Amino acid sequence: MTDDLAPVRFDTKIAVLLRDDLETWQRLNVTAFLVSGLGTAVPEVVGEPYADADDTPYLPMFRQPVLVFEGSKELLTTAHTRAVGRGATLSVFTSDLFATGNDRDNRAAVRAVRRDGMDLVGLAVHGPRNAVDKILKGASMHP
């Protein structure tokens, strides 16, 4: 017998790590961009579509919370190295993307810089809870 009222505990974690010197609008923009591809790469993180009492349909959302952290530029570089080393599902946002205006130019900006030379302002990672915790070690919850 299952308890339908028991809290749901997930084996995986979705986390965003933002550089601590971003302006508010940048934090929001970067977070939205970083998580936007996760559902296509890991479709099981997306829940069922929503509907209100009038049967108005709404898009599905992630089935689990997205935790947002912040850290220094150096911590982002370290977390990125850890994530790549663990083969984690990962998205990145570099400072160069603030100067582009479309997906093609965004991809070209990332492609133009070697992994160890990227000026990271954010990353999103999905994976087993303990692996994500290790990747983000040293980060603080976003205020």
Side-chain angles (χ1 to χ4, degrees):
M1 179 175 182
T2 61
D3 182 359
D4 290 337
L5 299 178
V8 176
R9 183 116 165 107
F10 298 98
D11 294 337
T12 61
K13 184 181 273 189
I14 300 170
V16 174
L17 176 59
L18 301 171
R19 203 162 77 192
D20 58 10
D21 62 350
L22 297 179
E23 294 182 38
T24 301
W25 75 266
Q26 292 173 316
R27 291 170 186 255
L28 296 169
N29 184 266
V30 170
T31 300
F33 270 95
L34 286 170
V35 299
S36 67
L38 190 54
T40 59
V42 188
E44 63 270 19
V45 300
V46 178
E48 296 296 320
Y50 287 73
D52 60 27
D54 297 315
D55 285 330
T56 306
Y58 301 101
L59 294 172
M61 295 186 278
F62 292 132
R63 65 181 180 91
Q64 66 189 92
V66 176
L67 303 173
V68 182
F69 297 84
E70 69 176 1
S72 66
K73 180 177 182 174
E74 295 77 20
L75 182 61
L76 256 92
T77 300
T78 299
H80 179 257
T81 300
R82 291 174 184 156
V84 170
R86 290 178 172 274
T89 302
L90 177 68
S91 57
V92 296
F93 198 105
T94 67
S95 63
D96 298 327
L97 303 187
F98 289 127
T100 61
N102 60 73
D103 184 55
R104 182 194 64 228
D105 292 343
N106 287 350
R107 285 183 284 109
V110 172
R111 171 63 88 181
V113 181
R114 294 185 56 85
R115 181 172 59 218
D116 61 355
M118 288 194 288
D119 184 18
L120 294 166
V121 298
L123 61 83
V125 62
H126 172 265
R129 292 178 63 82
N130 61 345
V132 172
D133 289 343
K134 289 177 181 174
I135 290 167
L136 298 180
K137 184 178 180 182
S140 304
M141 286 295 292
H142 191 280

